[in-house]
Amino acid sequence: EDQVTQSPEALRLQEGESSSLNCSYTVSGLRGLFWYRQDPGKGPEFLFTLYSAGEEKEKERLKATLTKKESFLHITAPKPEDSATYLCAVQTTSGTYKYIFGTGTRLKVLA
Amino acid sequence: GAVVSQHPSWVICKSGTSVKIECRSLDFQATTMFWYRQFPKQSLMLMATSNEGSKATYEQGVEKDKFLINHASLTLSTLTVTSAHPEDSSFYICSAPTGLAGAYNEQFFGPGTRLTVL
């Protein structure tokens, strides 16, 4: 069965304290892996798409990487405005393009 | 990025009434849209796939007669919660991929609709 797991469930960082969020996946075939940011009471905001192992994408303080089993979202020198829930989703080669979502990581960055 | 809107952003209704939520792709056409439900501090749960010009595909355990989906045009899908009850209270979010079926595509999400059933 296709599965996506995110860790940790919650993370508290001091401003400037870099860290990484993990998204592990077990799927029959990976078409793409997607990272989103969700603020409370809002819809997810698209961050990155990764298609193949070894690929990396960057945007401001965020960098996403992909291996054959997992993806990392690295946050460098975070600021309080980076506080949000980060969701990862995978799309498989099953013929549809439904997402399988992970449970998310709730990030809190303290000033 | 592509923009998806939802209306209304929040709605309060009495038990037994029906509520319609609209999802629109504003700057692209979407032959497929997805409807999700999200409970507090939980991830998104896919309810159904909305297909323009054909019937929606529902996920296992989702009542199709309860949650009516209509994809009337290439930019509009609607979700109607029929005979709503308090347990239907939730945050409903729609999304749309921007490209052709079968291709790698990011989904862009609407801002969500908070439904409260009294």
Side-chain angles (χ1 to χ4, degrees):
Chain A
E1 183 184 342
D2 296 331
Q3 226 173 8
V4 180
T5 304
Q6 289 187 247
S7 62
E9 191 174 306
L11 181 63
R12 291 166 69 93
L13 299 173
Q14 291 294 324
E15 185 173 3
E17 180 186 2
S18 302
S19 188
S20 296
L21 313 182
N22 178 265
C23 172
S24 297
Y25 61 92
T26 307
V27 298
S28 50
L30 181 71
R31 176 173 284 164
L33 185 143
F34 308 86
W35 281 99
Y36 288 84
R37 169 196 170 123
Q38 186 178 25
D39 293 301
K42 297 187 178 180
E45 174 190 343
F46 172 73
L47 293 174
F48 303 110
T49 307
L50 300 166
Y51 295 124
S52 55
E55 191 173 0
E56 299 182 353
K57 294 272 180 76
E58 283 189 72
K59 180 181 178 181
E60 296 180 355
R61 295 178 292 282
L62 301 177
K63 179 180 176 181
T65 62
L66 181 66
T67 73
K68 288 187 178 181
K69 293 182 179 181
E70 59 192 347
S71 176
F72 290 95
L73 184 65
H74 307 277
I75 304 178
T76 303
K79 298 182 178 181
E81 53 263 41
D82 295 322
S83 298
T85 296
Y86 290 85
L87 297 166
C88 119
V90 301
Q91 196 179 67
T92 71
T93 55
S94 65
T96 73
Y97 48 130
K98 295 191 296 186
Y99 277 179
I100 303 169
F101 269 100
T103 49
T105 294
R106 295 192 305 278
L107 173 66
K108 178 75 172 176
V109 182
L110 305 171
Chain B
V3 180
V4 176
S5 71
Q6 275 184 250
H7 178 80
S9 55
W10 60 269
V11 56
I12 300 173
C13 70
K14 292 183 178 180
S15 188
T17 60
S18 294
V19 174
K20 180 185 283 188
I21 302 170
E22 292 186 349
C23 177
R24 293 182 186 272
S25 55
L26 297 186
D27 50 0
F28 65 101
Q29 294 183 331
T31 56
T32 299
M33 292 183 175
F34 298 94
W35 286 96
Y36 295 84
R37 187 172 179 176
Q38 188 175 34
F39 293 104
K41 296 190 177 181
Q42 293 189 24
S43 192
L44 281 72
M45 182 189 80
L46 180 64
M47 298 174 65
T49 302
S50 172
N51 304 299
E52 190 269 336
S54 63
K55 290 183 179 179
T57 305
Y58 291 82
E59 295 300 300
Q60 196 169 16
V62 177
E63 299 175 62
K64 59 182 67 176
D65 295 330
K66 174 76 168 173
F67 299 101
L68 300 179
I69 291 172
N70 181 263
H71 199 138
S73 74
L74 289 172
T75 59
L76 174 64
S77 174
T78 59
L79 168 69
T80 301
V81 183
T82 63
S83 187
H85 288 94
E87 57 266 30
D88 299 322
S89 298
S90 192
F91 192 52
Y92 293 88
I93 310 174
C94 70
S95 74
T98 55
L100 299 173
Y104 305 141
N105 282 121
E106 300 87 7
Q107 290 184 24
F108 289 88
F109 287 81
T113 297
R114 171 76 58 196
L115 170 63
T116 302
V117 184
L118 302 177

